[in-house]
Amino acid sequence: DTGVSQNPRHKITKRGQNVTFRCDPISEHNRLYWYRQTLGQGPEFLTYFQNEAQLEKSRLLSDRFSAERPKGSFSTLEIQRTEQGDSAMYLCASSLTGGGNQPQHFGDGTRLSIL
Amino acid sequence: AQSVTQPDIHITVSEGASLELRCNYSYGATPYLFWYVQSPGQGLQLLLKYFSGDTLVQGIKGFEAEFKRSQSSFNLRKPSVHWSDAAEYFCAVVRGSGNTPLVFGKGTRLSVIA
Protein backbone atom coordinates (compact mmCIF):
# COMPACT_ATOMS: atom_id res chain seq x y z
CA ASP A 1 0.00 0.00 0.00
CA THR A 2 1.88 3.02 -1.28
CA GLY A 3 -0.89 5.47 -0.49
CA VAL A 4 -2.61 8.05 -2.65
CA SER A 5 -0.17 10.13 -4.66
CA GLN A 6 -0.87 13.61 -6.00
CA ASN A 7 1.23 15.67 -8.38
CA PRO A 8 2.33 18.34 -8.38
CA ARG A 9 2.37 19.26 -4.70
CA HIS A 10 2.38 22.94 -5.51
CA LYS A 11 1.31 24.84 -8.61
CA ILE A 12 1.72 28.56 -9.12
CA THR A 13 0.22 30.03 -12.24
CA LYS A 14 -1.08 33.26 -13.68
CA ARG A 15 -4.75 34.06 -13.88
CA GLY A 16 -6.25 32.80 -17.11
CA GLN A 17 -3.93 29.82 -17.52
CA ASN A 18 -5.08 26.21 -17.57
CA VAL A 19 -3.84 23.77 -14.94
CA THR A 20 -4.04 20.00 -14.60
CA PHE A 21 -3.53 17.93 -11.49
CA ARG A 22 -2.94 14.20 -11.30
CA CYS A 23 -4.01 11.67 -8.69
CA ASP A 24 -2.82 8.07 -8.43
CA PRO A 25 -5.07 6.13 -6.03
CA ILE A 26 -4.21 3.10 -3.96
CA SER A 27 -3.95 0.37 -6.56
CA GLU A 28 -6.91 -1.82 -5.60
CA HIS A 29 -9.26 1.09 -4.92
CA ASN A 30 -11.95 1.57 -7.53
CA ARG A 31 -13.54 4.68 -6.04
CA LEU A 32 -11.73 7.99 -6.50
CA TYR A 33 -12.84 11.36 -5.12
CA TRP A 34 -11.80 14.97 -5.63
CA TYR A 35 -12.26 17.62 -2.95
CA ARG A 36 -11.32 21.27 -2.66
CA GLN A 37 -10.19 22.87 0.57
CA THR A 38 -9.92 26.60 1.10
CA LEU A 39 -8.21 28.26 4.03
CA GLY A 40 -9.99 27.68 7.31
CA GLN A 41 -12.56 25.32 5.83
CA GLY A 42 -13.12 21.60 5.64
CA PRO A 43 -12.78 19.79 2.32
CA GLU A 44 -15.64 20.32 -0.11
CA PHE A 45 -16.65 17.52 -2.48
CA LEU A 46 -16.23 18.13 -6.22
CA THR A 47 -16.66 14.86 -8.11
CA TYR A 48 -16.06 11.13 -7.90
CA PHE A 49 -15.52 8.02 -10.00
CA GLN A 50 -16.29 4.35 -9.85
CA ASN A 51 -13.56 2.88 -12.02
CA GLU A 52 -13.70 5.03 -15.18
CA ALA A 53 -17.31 6.13 -14.72
CA GLN A 54 -17.85 9.60 -13.30
CA LEU A 55 -20.75 9.12 -10.89
CA GLU A 56 -21.36 12.72 -10.01
CA LYS A 57 -20.08 15.98 -11.38
CA SER A 58 -22.80 18.39 -10.39
CA ARG A 59 -20.64 19.69 -7.54
CA LEU A 60 -17.87 20.81 -9.86
CA LEU A 61 -17.66 24.52 -9.25
CA SER A 62 -18.16 25.68 -12.80
CA ASP A 63 -17.83 24.46 -16.37
CA ARG A 64 -14.17 25.47 -16.18
CA PHE A 65 -13.61 22.40 -14.00
CA SER A 66 -13.44 18.92 -15.46
CA ALA A 67 -12.13 15.56 -14.35
CA GLU A 68 -11.50 12.24 -15.95
CA ARG A 69 -10.27 8.77 -15.13
CA PRO A 70 -9.84 7.21 -18.53
CA LYS A 71 -8.59 3.75 -17.62
CA GLY A 72 -10.00 3.50 -14.15
CA SER A 73 -6.63 4.02 -12.53
CA PHE A 74 -5.19 7.53 -12.21
CA SER A 75 -7.35 10.63 -12.51
CA THR A 76 -6.79 14.19 -13.65
CA LEU A 77 -8.55 17.37 -12.60
CA GLU A 78 -8.33 20.29 -15.01
CA ILE A 79 -9.19 23.91 -14.39
CA GLN A 80 -9.41 26.10 -17.45
CA ARG A 81 -8.99 29.89 -17.46
CA THR A 82 -8.03 29.99 -13.81
CA GLU A 83 -9.33 32.76 -11.57
CA GLN A 84 -8.11 34.15 -8.25
CA GLY A 85 -10.86 32.30 -6.43
CA ASP A 86 -9.51 28.97 -7.62
CA SER A 87 -6.60 29.26 -5.21
CA ALA A 88 -7.03 26.35 -2.83
CA MET A 89 -5.78 22.91 -1.87
CA TYR A 90 -7.13 20.18 -4.16
CA LEU A 91 -7.34 16.82 -2.44
CA CYS A 92 -7.80 13.39 -3.93
CA ALA A 93 -9.03 10.36 -2.01
CA SER A 94 -9.66 6.74 -2.89
CA SER A 95 -11.54 3.85 -1.39
CA LEU A 96 -12.82 0.39 -2.05
CA THR A 97 -16.40 0.11 -3.24
CA GLY A 98 -18.89 -0.93 -0.66
CA GLY A 99 -21.05 0.57 1.97
CA GLY A 100 -20.24 3.74 3.80
CA ASN A 101 -17.91 1.75 5.99
CA GLN A 102 -15.15 1.87 3.41
CA PRO A 103 -12.97 4.75 4.58
CA GLN A 104 -11.47 7.20 2.13
CA HIS A 105 -7.70 7.56 2.08
CA PHE A 106 -6.38 10.97 1.15
CA GLY A 107 -3.32 12.17 -0.68
CA ASP A 108 -1.27 15.15 0.44
CA GLY A 109 -3.02 17.44 -2.02
CA THR A 110 -2.01 19.93 -4.68
CA ARG A 111 -1.86 23.53 -3.52
CA LEU A 112 -2.83 25.93 -6.30
CA SER A 113 -1.85 29.58 -6.13
CA ILE A 114 -3.14 32.01 -8.74
CA LEU A 115 -1.07 35.14 -9.26
CA ALA B 1 -29.21 17.43 3.66
CA GLN B 2 -26.47 16.17 5.85
CA SER B 3 -24.35 18.63 7.77
CA VAL B 4 -21.58 18.53 10.33
CA THR B 5 -20.94 21.18 12.95
CA GLN B 6 -17.72 21.59 14.85
CA PRO B 7 -18.49 24.38 17.33
CA ASP B 8 -14.91 25.10 18.34
CA ILE B 9 -12.71 26.78 15.75
CA HIS B 10 -9.57 26.74 17.90
CA ILE B 11 -8.68 24.97 21.15
CA THR B 12 -5.51 25.29 23.19
CA VAL B 13 -4.56 22.66 25.74
CA SER B 14 -1.50 22.01 27.84
CA GLU B 15 0.66 19.02 27.07
CA GLY B 16 -0.50 16.10 29.21
CA ALA B 17 -4.01 17.48 29.66
CA SER B 18 -7.10 15.73 28.40
CA LEU B 19 -8.83 16.75 25.18
CA GLU B 20 -12.37 16.68 23.84
CA LEU B 21 -13.29 17.98 20.40
CA ARG B 22 -16.97 18.37 19.68
CA CYS B 23 -18.85 17.25 16.59
CA ASN B 24 -22.58 17.37 15.90
CA TYR B 25 -24.17 15.95 12.78
CA SER B 26 -27.48 16.20 11.04
CA TYR B 27 -28.62 13.06 9.28
CA GLY B 28 -31.88 11.20 9.10
CA ALA B 29 -30.62 7.67 9.48
CA THR B 30 -27.76 5.82 11.11
CA PRO B 31 -24.71 7.78 10.05
CA TYR B 32 -21.26 6.66 9.14
CA LEU B 33 -18.97 9.02 11.05
CA PHE B 34 -15.28 9.72 10.77
CA TRP B 35 -12.57 11.81 12.37
CA TYR B 36 -9.58 12.91 10.31
CA VAL B 37 -6.46 14.84 11.30
CA GLN B 38 -4.53 17.20 9.05
CA SER B 39 -1.06 18.56 9.71
CA PRO B 40 -0.06 21.82 7.97
CA GLY B 41 0.39 21.36 4.24
CA GLN B 42 -0.57 17.71 4.38
CA GLY B 43 -3.52 15.57 3.45
CA LEU B 44 -5.99 14.03 5.85
CA GLN B 45 -5.24 10.98 7.95
CA LEU B 46 -8.06 8.81 9.25
CA LEU B 47 -8.13 8.64 13.06
CA LEU B 48 -11.21 6.50 13.58
CA LYS B 49 -14.62 5.63 12.22
CA TYR B 50 -18.05 4.61 13.49
CA PHE B 51 -20.53 2.50 11.56
CA SER B 52 -22.54 0.53 14.09
CA GLY B 53 -22.25 -1.49 17.26
CA ASP B 54 -20.22 -0.30 20.21
CA THR B 55 -20.70 3.43 20.53
CA LEU B 56 -17.19 3.96 21.88
CA VAL B 57 -14.63 3.50 19.15
CA GLN B 58 -10.88 3.41 19.44
CA GLY B 59 -8.58 4.92 16.88
CA ILE B 60 -4.95 5.51 16.20
CA LYS B 61 -2.59 7.68 18.26
CA GLY B 62 -4.56 7.06 21.45
CA PHE B 63 -7.75 8.78 20.29
CA GLU B 64 -11.27 7.57 20.92
CA ALA B 65 -14.72 8.86 20.06
CA GLU B 66 -18.18 8.25 21.42
CA PHE B 67 -21.32 8.18 19.31
CA LYS B 68 -24.40 9.51 21.09
CA ARG B 69 -27.50 9.21 18.96
CA SER B 70 -29.68 11.17 21.40
CA GLN B 71 -27.37 14.16 21.13
CA SER B 72 -26.41 13.68 17.47
CA SER B 73 -22.82 13.91 18.57
CA PHE B 74 -19.56 12.15 17.85
CA ASN B 75 -16.97 13.78 20.11
CA LEU B 76 -13.29 12.98 19.89
CA ARG B 77 -11.28 12.47 23.07
CA LYS B 78 -7.75 11.81 24.20
CA PRO B 79 -6.77 11.39 27.84
CA SER B 80 -3.31 12.95 27.57
CA VAL B 81 -2.31 15.26 24.73
CA HIS B 82 1.19 15.27 23.25
CA TRP B 83 2.80 18.24 21.52
CA SER B 84 2.73 16.26 18.26
CA ASP B 85 -1.09 16.24 18.37
CA ALA B 86 -1.17 19.90 17.36
CA ALA B 87 -3.04 19.88 14.03
CA GLU B 88 -6.43 20.49 12.43
CA TYR B 89 -9.15 17.95 13.21
CA PHE B 90 -12.12 17.29 10.96
CA CYS B 91 -15.31 15.42 11.67
CA ALA B 92 -17.09 13.98 8.64
CA VAL B 93 -20.18 12.01 7.73
CA VAL B 94 -20.90 9.94 4.66
CA ARG B 95 -23.48 11.71 2.55
CA GLY B 96 -25.57 8.67 1.76
CA SER B 97 -26.02 5.07 2.76
CA GLY B 98 -23.52 3.84 0.24
CA ASN B 99 -19.91 4.58 -0.29
CA THR B 100 -20.52 8.19 -1.20
CA PRO B 101 -18.68 11.45 -0.71
CA LEU B 102 -17.92 12.80 2.71
CA VAL B 103 -19.43 15.93 4.21
CA PHE B 104 -16.93 17.65 6.47
CA GLY B 105 -17.18 20.08 9.32
CA LYS B 106 -15.10 23.24 9.22
CA GLY B 107 -12.51 21.77 11.52
CA THR B 108 -11.03 22.51 14.92
CA ARG B 109 -7.46 23.69 15.18
CA LEU B 110 -5.67 22.25 18.19
CA SER B 111 -2.71 24.03 19.73
CA VAL B 112 -0.64 22.37 22.44
CA ILE B 113 1.37 24.41 24.91
CA ALA B 114 4.08 23.28 27.27
Side-chain angles (χ1 to χ4, degrees), chain A residues 9 31 33 56 96 98 104, chain B residues 36 38 41 43 51 95 99 102:
Chain A
R9 290 295 311 277
R31 286 274 173 107
Y33 303 80
E56 182 171 347
L96 294 168
Q104 295 177 28
Chain B
Y36 285 85
Q38 185 178 36
F51 305 131
R95 199 179 64 175
N99 187 210
L102 292 163

Side-chain angles (χ1 to χ4, degrees), chain A:
Chain A
D1 180 353
T2 58
V4 177
S5 177
Q6 291 190 247
N7 288 287
R9 290 295 311 277
H10 304 276
K11 179 71 176 178
I12 301 173
T13 192
K14 294 181 179 179
R15 183 167 54 91
Q17 298 295 305
N18 298 344
V19 294
T20 300
F21 311 139
R22 176 178 170 126
C23 172
D24 288 89
I26 294 171
S27 58
E28 64 269 26
H29 286 184
N30 41 22
R31 286 274 173 107
L32 187 148
Y33 303 80
W34 285 99
Y35 294 84
R36 186 180 81 150
Q37 185 179 22
T38 54
L39 200 62
Q41 301 294 316
E44 173 190 12
F45 166 70
L46 295 178
T47 187
Y48 75 123
F49 295 84
Q50 167 81 19
N51 299 315
E52 66 274 10
Q54 191 170 13
L55 298 185
E56 182 171 347
K57 55 182 180 180
S58 63
R59 298 297 186 97
L60 287 169
L61 299 163
S62 77
D63 59 6
R64 297 184 297 107
F65 287 71
S66 63
E68 61 179 23
R69 194 183 183 196
K71 297 182 180 179
S73 56
F74 73 92
S75 175
T76 57
L77 177 69
E78 182 182 15
I79 309 174
Q80 296 182 329
R81 305 180 302 282
T82 53
E83 301 174 355
Q84 291 283 351
D86 297 333
S87 295
M89 174 80 90
Y90 291 85
L91 294 164
C92 176
S94 70
S95 73
L96 294 168
T97 305
N101 60 350
Q102 295 295 341
Q104 295 177 28
H105 298 264
F106 284 79
D108 284 338
T110 294
R111 180 165 296 284
L112 174 64
S113 298
I114 307 298
L115 300 177

Side-chain angles (χ1 to χ4, degrees), chain B residues 10-31:
Chain B
H10 183 207
I11 286 181
T12 300
V13 299
S14 299
E15 191 169 16
S18 64
L19 170 70
E20 183 169 25
L21 302 181
R22 296 184 290 164
C23 172
N24 293 97
Y25 66 90
S26 170
Y27 186 49
T30 301

Side-chain angles (χ1 to χ4, degrees), chain B residues 35 46-49 56-65 74 76-78:
Chain B
W35 275 99
L46 180 67
L47 285 176
L48 48 77
K49 55 187 184 288
L56 185 64
V57 294
Q58 302 297 320
I60 62 171
K61 304 185 179 186
F63 285 93
E64 66 178 26
F74 187 56
L76 181 71
R77 301 195 294 248
K78 186 169 184 178

Side-chain angles (χ1 to χ4, degrees), chain B residues 25-100:
Chain B
Y25 66 90
S26 170
Y27 186 49
T30 301
Y32 297 130
L33 293 157
F34 305 82
W35 275 99
Y36 285 85
V37 61
Q38 185 178 36
S39 297
Q42 303 296 313
L44 282 74
Q45 181 182 22
L46 180 67
L47 285 176
L48 48 77
K49 55 187 184 288
Y50 171 78
F51 305 131
S52 64
D54 193 348
T55 56
L56 185 64
V57 294
Q58 302 297 320
I60 62 171
K61 304 185 179 186
F63 285 93
E64 66 178 26
E66 186 171 13
F67 170 65
K68 293 185 177 180
R69 183 186 301 277
S70 61
Q71 299 177 19
S72 297
S73 69
F74 187 56
N75 294 350
L76 181 71
R77 301 195 294 248
K78 186 169 184 178
S80 177
V81 169
H82 188 261
W83 64 267
S84 61
D85 294 323
E88 190 91 19
Y89 291 80
F90 293 96
C91 182
V93 62
V94 167
R95 199 179 64 175
S97 59
N99 187 210
T100 53

